[in-house]
Coordinates of all heavy atoms in Angstrom, one line a residue:
S113 N 10.6 -7.8 -2.2 CA 11.0 -9.2 -2.3 C 12.2 -9.3 -3.1 O 13.1 -10.2 -2.8 CB 9.8 -10.0 -3.0 OG 8.7 -10.1 -2.0
F114 N 12.3 -8.5 -4.2 CA 13.6 -8.5 -4.9 C 14.8 -8.2 -4.0 O 15.8 -8.9 -4.1 CB 13.4 -7.6 -6.2 CG 14.6 -7.5 -7.0 CD1 15.0 -8.5 -7.9 CD2 15.6 -6.5 -6.9 CE1 16.0 -8.4 -8.7 CE2 16.7 -6.4 -7.6 CZ 17.0 -7.4 -8.6
V115 N 14.5 -7.2 -3.3 CA 15.7 -6.7 -2.4 C 16.0 -7.7 -1.3 O 17.1 -8.0 -1.1 CB 15.4 -5.4 -1.7 CG1 16.3 -5.0 -0.7 CG2 15.3 -4.3 -2.7
K116 N 14.9 -8.3 -0.7 CA 15.1 -9.4 0.3 C 15.8 -10.6 -0.3 O 16.8 -11.1 0.4 CB 13.7 -9.8 0.8 CG 13.1 -9.0 1.8 CD 11.6 -9.3 2.1 CE 11.5 -10.5 3.0 NZ 10.2 -10.8 3.4
R117 N 15.5 -11.0 -1.5 CA 16.1 -12.2 -2.1 C 17.7 -11.9 -2.3 O 18.5 -12.6 -2.1 CB 15.5 -12.5 -3.4 CG 14.1 -13.0 -3.4 CD 13.9 -14.3 -2.6 NE 13.5 -13.9 -1.2 CZ 12.4 -13.4 -0.7 NH1 11.3 -13.4 -1.5 NH2 12.2 -13.2 0.6
R118 N 17.9 -10.5 -2.8 CA 19.4 -10.2 -3.0 C 20.2 -10.1 -1.7 O 21.4 -10.4 -1.6 CB 19.5 -8.8 -3.7 CG 18.7 -8.7 -5.1 CD 19.3 -9.5 -6.2 NE 19.1 -10.9 -6.2 CZ 18.0 -11.6 -6.5 NH1 16.8 -10.9 -6.6 NH2 17.9 -12.9 -6.4
M119 N 19.4 -9.8 -0.6 CA 20.1 -9.8 0.7 C 20.3 -11.2 1.3 O 20.8 -11.3 2.5 CB 19.4 -8.8 1.6 CG 19.5 -7.4 1.2 SD 18.3 -6.3 2.1 CE 18.9 -6.5 3.7
G120 N 19.6 -12.2 0.7 CA 19.7 -13.6 1.2 C 18.6 -13.9 2.1 O 18.6 -15.0 2.7
F121 N 17.5 -13.1 2.2 CA 16.4 -13.4 3.1 C 15.6 -14.4 2.3 O 15.2 -14.3 1.2 CB 15.5 -12.2 3.4 CG 16.1 -11.3 4.4 CD1 16.6 -10.1 4.0 CD2 15.9 -11.6 5.8 CE1 17.1 -9.1 4.9 CE2 16.4 -10.7 6.7 CZ 17.0 -9.6 6.3
E122 N 15.1 -15.6 3.0 CA 14.2 -16.6 2.4 C 12.9 -16.0 2.2 O 12.5 -15.0 3.0 CB 14.2 -17.8 3.2 CG 15.5 -18.5 3.4 CD 15.9 -19.2 2.0 OE1 15.1 -19.6 1.3 OE2 17.2 -19.2 1.8
R123 N 12.1 -16.6 1.4 CA 10.7 -16.1 1.2 C 9.9 -16.4 2.6 O 10.1 -17.4 3.2 CB 10.0 -17.0 0.2 CG 8.5 -16.7 0.1 CD 7.7 -18.0 0.4 NE 6.3 -17.6 0.4 CZ 5.3 -18.2 -0.1 NH1 5.6 -19.4 -0.7 NH2 4.1 -17.9 0.1
G124 N 9.3 -15.3 3.0 CA 8.4 -15.3 4.2 C 9.3 -14.9 5.5 O 8.6 -14.8 6.5
S125 N 10.6 -14.7 5.3 CA 11.3 -14.2 6.3 C 10.9 -12.7 6.7 O 10.4 -12.1 5.8 CB 12.9 -14.3 6.1 OG 13.1 -13.5 5.0
M126 N 11.2 -12.2 7.8 CA 10.8 -10.9 8.1 C 12.0 -9.9 8.0 O 13.1 -10.2 8.4 CB 10.3 -10.7 9.6 CG 9.9 -9.3 9.9 SD 8.8 -9.1 11.4 CE 9.9 -9.5 12.6
A127 N 11.7 -8.9 7.1 CA 12.8 -7.8 6.9 C 12.2 -6.5 7.5 O 11.4 -5.9 6.9 CB 13.1 -7.7 5.4
L128 N 12.6 -6.3 8.7 CA 12.0 -5.2 9.4 C 12.1 -3.9 8.7 O 13.3 -3.5 8.2 CB 12.7 -5.0 10.7 CG 11.9 -4.3 11.8 CD1 10.6 -5.0 12.2 CD2 12.7 -4.0 13.1
G129 N 11.0 -3.1 8.6 CA 11.1 -1.9 7.7 C 10.7 -2.2 6.5 O 9.7 -1.5 6.0
L130 N 11.3 -3.0 5.7 CA 11.0 -3.4 4.3 C 9.5 -3.9 4.2 O 8.7 -3.4 3.5 CB 12.0 -4.3 3.8 CG 12.5 -4.2 2.3 CD1 12.8 -2.8 2.0 CD2 13.6 -5.2 2.1
D131 N 9.3 -4.9 4.9 CA 7.9 -5.6 4.9 C 6.8 -4.7 5.3 O 5.8 -4.8 4.8 CB 7.9 -6.8 5.9 CG 8.5 -8.1 5.3 OD1 8.7 -8.1 4.1 OD2 9.1 -8.8 6.1
Q132 N 7.1 -3.7 6.2 CA 6.0 -2.9 6.7 C 5.7 -1.8 5.9 O 4.5 -1.3 5.8 CB 6.4 -2.4 8.1 CG 6.3 -3.5 9.3 CD 7.5 -4.4 9.2 OE1 8.5 -4.1 8.6 NE2 7.5 -5.5 9.9
Y133 N 6.7 -1.2 5.3 CA 6.5 0.1 4.5 C 6.6 -0.1 3.0 O 6.1 0.9 2.3 CB 7.5 1.1 5.0 CG 7.3 1.5 6.4 CD1 8.3 1.2 7.4 CD2 6.2 2.2 6.9 CE1 8.0 1.4 8.8 CE2 6.1 2.5 8.2 CZ 7.1 2.2 9.2 OH 6.9 2.4 10.4
D134 N 7.1 -1.2 2.4 CA 7.3 -1.2 1.1 C 6.1 -0.8 0.2 O 6.3 0.1 -0.6 CB 7.7 -2.7 0.7 CG 6.8 -3.7 1.2 OD1 5.7 -3.5 1.6 OD2 7.2 -5.0 1.1
F135 N 5.0 -1.4 0.5 CA 3.9 -1.2 -0.4 C 3.3 0.3 -0.4 O 3.1 1.0 -1.3 CB 2.8 -2.2 -0.1 CG 2.1 -1.9 1.2 CD1 0.9 -1.4 1.4 CD2 2.7 -2.6 2.4 CE1 0.3 -1.2 2.7 CE2 2.1 -2.4 3.7 CZ 0.9 -1.8 3.8
V136 N 3.3 0.8 1.0 CA 2.7 2.2 1.0 C 3.6 3.3 0.5 O 3.1 4.2 -0.2 CB 2.2 2.5 2.5 CG1 3.4 2.6 3.4 CG2 1.4 3.7 2.6
V137 N 4.9 3.1 0.6 CA 5.9 4.2 0.1 C 6.0 4.2 -1.4 O 5.7 5.2 -2.0 CB 7.2 3.7 0.6 CG1 8.3 4.6 0.0 CG2 7.3 4.0 2.3
I138 N 6.0 2.9 -2.0 CA 6.1 2.9 -3.5 C 4.6 3.3 -4.0 O 4.7 4.0 -5.1 CB 6.5 1.5 -4.0 CG1 7.9 1.1 -3.4 CG2 6.5 1.4 -5.5 CD1 9.0 2.0 -3.8
S139 N 3.6 2.9 -3.4 CA 2.4 3.4 -3.8 C 2.2 4.8 -3.9 O 1.7 5.4 -4.9 CB 1.2 2.7 -3.0 OG 0.0 3.2 -3.2
L140 N 2.7 5.5 -2.9 CA 2.6 6.9 -2.8 C 3.5 7.6 -3.8 O 3.2 8.6 -4.5 CB 3.0 7.4 -1.4 CG 1.9 7.3 -0.4 CD1 2.4 7.6 1.1 CD2 0.8 8.4 -0.7
I141 N 4.7 7.0 -4.0 CA 5.7 7.6 -4.9 C 5.1 7.5 -6.3 O 5.1 8.5 -7.1 CB 7.0 7.0 -4.8 CG1 7.7 7.4 -3.4 CG2 8.0 7.4 -6.0 CD1 9.1 6.7 -3.1
M142 N 4.6 6.4 -6.6 CA 4.2 6.2 -8.1 C 2.9 6.9 -8.2 O 2.8 7.6 -9.4 CB 3.7 4.7 -8.3 CG 5.1 3.7 -8.5 SD 4.6 2.0 -9.0 CE 3.9 2.2 -10.5
T143 N 2.0 7.1 -7.3 CA 0.8 8.0 -7.5 C 1.3 9.4 -7.7 O 0.7 10.2 -8.4 CB -0.1 7.8 -6.3 OG1 -0.4 6.4 -6.2 CG2 -1.5 8.5 -6.7
W144 N 2.3 9.8 -6.9 CA 2.8 11.2 -6.8 C 3.4 11.5 -8.3 O 3.2 12.6 -8.8 CB 3.9 11.3 -5.8 CG 4.4 12.7 -5.7 CD1 3.8 13.9 -5.6 CD2 5.9 13.0 -5.9 NE1 4.7 14.9 -5.6 CE2 6.0 14.4 -5.8 CE3 6.9 12.3 -6.1 CZ2 7.3 15.1 -5.9 CZ3 8.2 12.9 -6.2 CH2 8.3 14.3 -6.1
L145 N 4.2 10.5 -8.9 CA 4.7 10.7 -10.2 C 3.7 10.9 -11.3 O 3.8 11.7 -12.2 CB 5.6 9.4 -10.6 CG 6.8 9.3 -9.8 CD1 7.6 8.0 -10.2 CD2 7.8 10.4 -10.0
V146 N 2.4 10.2 -11.1 CA 1.5 10.3 -12.1 C 0.4 11.4 -11.8 O -0.1 12.1 -12.6 CB 0.7 9.0 -12.3 CG1 -0.3 8.9 -13.4 CG2 1.8 7.8 -12.5
Y147 N 0.1 11.5 -10.5 CA -1.0 12.5 -10.0 C -0.4 13.3 -8.9 O -1.0 13.3 -7.9 CB -2.3 11.7 -9.6 CG -3.1 11.2 -10.8 CD1 -3.0 10.0 -11.2 CD2 -4.0 12.1 -11.4 CE1 -3.7 9.5 -12.3 CE2 -4.8 11.6 -12.5 CZ -4.6 10.4 -12.9 OH -5.3 10.0 -14.0
G148 N 0.7 14.0 -9.2 CA 1.5 14.9 -8.3 C 0.5 15.8 -7.5 O 0.6 15.8 -6.3
Q149 N -0.3 16.4 -8.2 CA -1.1 17.5 -7.6 C -2.1 16.9 -6.5 O -2.3 17.4 -5.4 CB -2.0 18.1 -8.6 CG -2.0 19.6 -8.5 CD -3.2 20.2 -9.3 OE1 -3.9 19.4 -10.1 NE2 -3.4 21.4 -9.1
W150 N -2.6 15.7 -6.8 CA -3.5 15.1 -5.9 C -2.7 14.6 -4.5 O -3.3 14.9 -3.5 CB -4.2 13.9 -6.5 CG -5.2 13.2 -5.7 CD1 -6.5 13.7 -5.5 CD2 -5.2 12.0 -5.0 NE1 -7.3 12.9 -4.7 CE2 -6.5 11.8 -4.4 CE3 -4.1 11.0 -4.8 CZ2 -6.7 10.7 -3.5 CZ3 -4.5 10.0 -4.0 CH2 -5.7 9.8 -3.3
I151 N -1.6 14.0 -4.8 CA -0.8 13.6 -3.6 C -0.4 14.8 -2.8 O -0.4 14.8 -1.6 CB 0.5 12.7 -4.1 CG1 -0.1 11.4 -4.6 CG2 1.4 12.6 -2.9 CD1 -0.6 10.5 -3.5
E152 N 0.1 15.8 -3.5 CA 0.6 17.1 -2.8 C -0.6 17.6 -2.0 O -0.5 18.1 -0.8 CB 1.2 18.1 -3.8 CG 2.5 17.7 -4.1 CD 3.1 18.3 -5.4 OE1 2.6 19.3 -5.8 OE2 4.0 17.6 -6.0
E153 N -1.8 17.7 -2.6 CA -3.0 18.2 -1.9 C -3.3 17.3 -0.6 O -3.6 17.8 0.5 CB -4.3 18.1 -2.8 CG -5.4 18.8 -2.2 CD -5.2 20.3 -1.9 OE1 -4.3 20.9 -2.6 OE2 -5.8 20.8 -1.1
L154 N -3.1 15.9 -0.7 CA -3.4 15.1 0.3 C -2.5 15.3 1.5 O -2.8 15.2 2.6 CB -3.2 13.6 -0.1 CG -3.7 12.4 0.7 CD1 -5.1 12.6 1.1 CD2 -3.5 11.1 0.0
F155 N -1.2 15.7 1.2 CA -0.2 16.0 2.2 C 0.0 17.5 2.5 O 0.8 17.9 3.3 CB 1.2 15.4 1.7 CG 1.2 14.0 1.9 CD1 0.7 13.2 0.9 CD2 1.7 13.3 3.0 CE1 0.8 11.8 0.9 CE2 1.7 12.0 3.1 CZ 1.3 11.1 2.1
S156 N -0.9 18.3 2.0 CA -0.7 19.7 2.1 C -0.8 20.4 3.3 O -0.1 21.3 3.7 CB -1.6 20.5 1.0 OG -2.9 20.2 1.4
T157 N -1.8 19.9 4.2 CA -2.0 20.6 5.4 C -0.8 20.6 6.4 O -0.3 21.6 6.9 CB -3.3 20.1 6.1 OG1 -3.4 18.8 6.0 CG2 -4.5 20.9 5.7
H158 N -0.4 19.4 6.7 CA 0.8 19.3 7.7 C 1.5 18.0 7.2 O 1.3 16.9 7.8 CB 0.3 19.1 9.1 CG 0.0 20.3 9.8 ND1 -1.3 20.8 9.9 CD2 0.9 21.3 10.3 CE1 -1.2 22.0 10.7 NE2 0.1 22.3 10.9
I159 N 2.4 18.2 6.3 CA 3.1 17.0 5.8 C 3.7 16.1 6.9 O 3.6 14.8 6.7 CB 4.1 17.4 4.7 CG1 4.6 16.0 4.0 CG2 5.2 18.3 5.2 CD1 5.2 16.3 2.7
W160 N 4.2 16.7 7.8 CA 4.8 15.8 8.9 C 3.8 15.0 9.7 O 4.0 13.8 10.1 CB 5.8 16.6 9.8 CG 7.0 17.0 9.1 CD1 7.3 18.2 8.7 CD2 8.1 16.1 8.5 NE1 8.5 18.3 8.0 CE2 8.9 17.0 7.9 CE3 8.2 14.8 8.7 CZ2 10.0 16.4 7.3 CZ3 9.4 14.3 8.1 CH2 10.3 15.1 7.3

Side-chain angles (χ1 to χ4, degrees):
S113 290
F114 179 79
V115 171
K116 280 171 79 176
R117 298 299 90 82
R118 303 291 72 73
M119 291 168 66
F121 284 102
E122 295 294 324
R123 177 241 171 135
S125 62
M126 178 160 73
L128 201 65
L130 216 51
D131 280 335
Q132 290 78 12
Y133 296 111
D134 53 12
F135 67 99
V136 65
V137 169
I138 301 299
S139 172
L140 280 172
I141 292 174
M142 280 181 71
T143 312
W144 180 59
L145 289 175
V146 187
Y147 283 93
Q149 223 196 354
W150 187 76
I151 289 290
E152 279 159 28
E153 188 61 28
L154 193 58
F155 286 86
S156 65
T157 35
H158 275 100
I159 183 157
W160 288 109

